Amino acid sequence: MPGRADTVEELSELIRGRGVEPLTWYGVWLFVDWLEFSGAELDPSDAKQVAATAAVELEASRRDPYRQLSRVFHLVGRKDPAAAALPAPATRA
């Protein structure tokens, strides 16, 4: 399946062009994404284990250098109401 390799900087610039100011970003699936390669297993029915894992993931997602190691990220921005009237710029192919 084709994938993309966008960076935080590239997507930040893209959304700025649409009147959205980037605020912060988080790394996603930093540790859980690699469990299958380590042989470790997360039992989805174990609420305590899932909560502990989620807490570690959330904390790491906010901190460098951990968040920079994630293969996926979430970029959070805020739309400027004044920019709503601007036409959208052309997108890259």
Side-chain angles (χ1 to χ4, degrees):
M1 172 178 264
R4 292 175 55 148
D6 295 310
T7 65
V8 172
E9 293 77 20
E10 289 169 339
L11 290 181
S12 293
E13 198 56 39
L14 185 67
I15 67 173
R16 272 191 196 96
R18 289 176 168 70
V20 177
E21 185 58 33
L23 301 176
T24 192
W25 67 278
Y26 300 89
V28 181
W29 299 108
L30 180 60
F31 301 119
V32 175
D33 201 27
W34 295 98
L35 283 178
E36 65 185 90
F37 301 113
S38 71
E41 292 186 21
L42 178 63
D43 179 1
S45 67
D46 183 340
K48 193 172 182 179
Q49 185 184 40
V50 170
T53 303
V56 169
E57 285 279 349
L58 179 60
E59 200 54 43
S61 75
R62 304 179 213 189
R63 296 180 185 207
D64 289 328
Y66 306 108
R67 71 180 180 160
Q68 294 176 5
L69 298 173
S70 296
R71 295 189 292 172
V72 178
F73 63 88
H74 289 181
L75 177 60
V76 179
R78 177 167 291 140
K79 179 85 172 170
D80 179 359
L86 299 176
T91 59
R92 69 179 181 161

